[in-house]
Amino acid sequence: MRLVVVSAGLSVPSSTRLLGDRLAAAVGRQADMEVEVVELRDLAVEIAHNFTNGFPGRQLAAAIDAVTGADGLIVVTPVFSASYSGLFKSFFDVIDKDALTGMPVLIAATGGTARHSMVLDHALRPLFAHLRAVVAPTGVYAASEDWGAEGLDRRIERAAGELAGLMSGRPAKRAAEPEVVPFAEQLAALRPAG
């Protein structure tokens, strides 16, 4: 199966690309995958030219073919102004509106603060629902403090299992749920001793 990662990270190295790579590796542990990465940073000029002249350049055409010919997608964007980046949106605007119908998609985003985590549900999920893709139930958001912290790996594995299941047409294995600590106990743990 062919898995394509679309990364809208702008810097090198990029936490957005890192998250995409970690998600792809996790999907690869679930099923045998051939992985290709599309770096939108490298296509920015061709994406802009596509809007002004109406046709894609050579590299953009190859990226569009990779995305539309994939068996599944991982899409990762940094958060700008509480939404996906303009480069990310522009790339999906140049793809034919029917090309992703039925495509299994795992949505993910990175940002400086956990406050932007709702971008998955208020921006990314509606975009891919509009494109009639099949979006995995678990999206992955990674804030700066999530790297190396407990929980990110578990979310990555759950989302990867769901995408692998969608791509192979089988239901994903249900991940073990973390133990829930009652709120009253969490509050009690915060009180100063004495």
Side-chain angles (χ1 to χ4, degrees):
M1 286 189 282
R2 288 193 52 238
L3 174 65
V4 174
V5 179
V6 178
S7 172
L10 298 177
S11 60
V12 178
S14 163
S15 62
T16 302
R17 171 66 190 266
L18 176 60
L19 181 57
D21 290 345
R22 288 182 65 182
L23 288 163
V27 174
R29 288 190 292 275
Q30 304 277 335
D32 188 30
M33 299 282 162
E34 174 189 323
V35 178
E36 181 176 345
V37 177
V38 172
E39 286 275 7
L40 298 185
R41 175 178 37 84
D42 299 334
L43 301 171
V45 172
E46 287 194 25
I47 291 170
H49 285 165
N50 189 92
F51 282 115
T52 58
N53 64 24
F55 61 90
R58 186 176 45 81
Q59 288 181 306
L60 180 57
I64 291 170
D65 287 346
V67 166
T68 58
D71 296 304
L73 298 176
I74 295 172
V75 298
V76 192
T77 180
V79 175
F80 291 120
S81 302
S83 190
Y84 38 66
S85 73
L87 180 60
F88 182 85
K89 177 65 164 65
S90 294
F91 176 72
F92 287 101
D93 283 345
V94 300
I95 294 177
D96 181 88
K97 66 177 180 58
D98 297 321
L100 299 182
T101 299
M103 175 77 67
V105 176
L106 191 164
I107 57 173
T110 58
T113 173
R115 291 184 307 227
H116 293 301
S117 63
M118 289 303 295
V119 71
L120 296 173
D121 291 320
H122 79 73
L124 287 166
R125 200 171 296 281
L127 171 63
F128 288 96
H130 171 75
L131 295 172
R132 296 190 311 250
V134 179
V135 182
T138 301
V140 179
Y141 179 82
S144 297
E145 65 264 16
D146 287 328
W147 297 101
E150 186 178 328
L152 180 59
D153 288 339
R154 190 169 44 244
R155 293 193 315 268
I156 286 172
E157 291 299 325
R158 180 185 309 149
E162 291 169 358
L163 181 63
L166 289 171
M167 290 174 69
S168 67
R170 62 176 165 69
K173 290 184 226 169
R174 194 161 169 87
E177 292 296 322
E179 181 182 332
V180 176
V181 178
F183 187 63
E185 286 181 37
Q186 292 180 27
L187 284 176
L190 295 175
R191 290 189 191 119

